[in-house]
Amino acid sequence: MNNETTTLISLKEAMKRVDHKLQALEAHFKELDFIKDNLTQKFEDHSKTLANQGAQDELWKAVLSLKFTSMELNILYSYVIEVLVHLHTCVLEKLPDLVRSLPTLASILRRKVKNKRIRVVWESVLEEHGLQEGDITALCIFFVAHGNKAEHYIAKVRQMYIRDINFMISNMVKNQALQDGLLKAVQVIEKGKAEMAPQEKKSPLKELIPSVKS
């Protein structure tokens, strides 16, 4: 074997070693990229969690620091509870076979996380009413914070005390998420009343006039 042949064999072996090292480095870099992507995703998820937690903390502070009178608070509570009950009813109407297993709105909120069918119906109900998850979060926090001491006022009583509920909310509620949630709650209830009014007007006259006993 001459020198040229020996040199060529040595060169080929050296190239194989270099190629193996390059392959090992490539595999290592792929692993590092995977780790980087995984850490980035975890960081983004953690950041979102912290942001959501921070937003909820601000909501709680805003709800607990409201400067409303007891009467005004009762009126707001009335809109909130009517919306939450209405949403619960709408979901049950679309899922009649789950009426017994979804006795409360809280049960819907819990189960929608893992149950796609419930989640799809819930999202469709929110969309139909122009609501978002953030609005529901704000309304639920309001309900939890004030539900134990607030009273429900029917529509006629609410109108006797406050003529422009939207102005009151816009003027006194500074937290944007809470303000949006309360304004949308009022909008949903008032829109429902407006849609019911024509049906009431179509009722027979004898049903609208109380009978007089002789």
Side-chain angles (χ1 to χ4, degrees), residues 87 121-133 136:
L87 294 177
V121 169
W122 170 252
E123 291 173 352
S124 70
V125 168
L126 290 187
E127 185 177 358
E128 289 170 5
H129 292 81
L131 296 167
Q132 298 180 354
E133 288 288 353
I136 304 305

Side-chain angles (χ1 to χ4, degrees), residues 6-20:
T6 302
T7 302
L8 184 60
I9 293 174
S10 299
L11 181 60
K12 287 182 177 180
E13 291 178 349
M15 290 179 65
K16 285 182 180 180
R17 289 195 295 272
V18 171
D19 187 53
H20 289 159

Side-chain angles (χ1 to χ4, degrees), residues 23 39 49 61 68 75 77 82 88 96 103 124 148 168 209:
Q23 290 179 6
L39 288 174
T49 300
K61 291 179 184 178
F68 290 113
I75 290 175
Y77 168 80
E82 286 184 17
H88 179 235
S124 70
N148 63 327
M168 186 187 81
I209 301 176

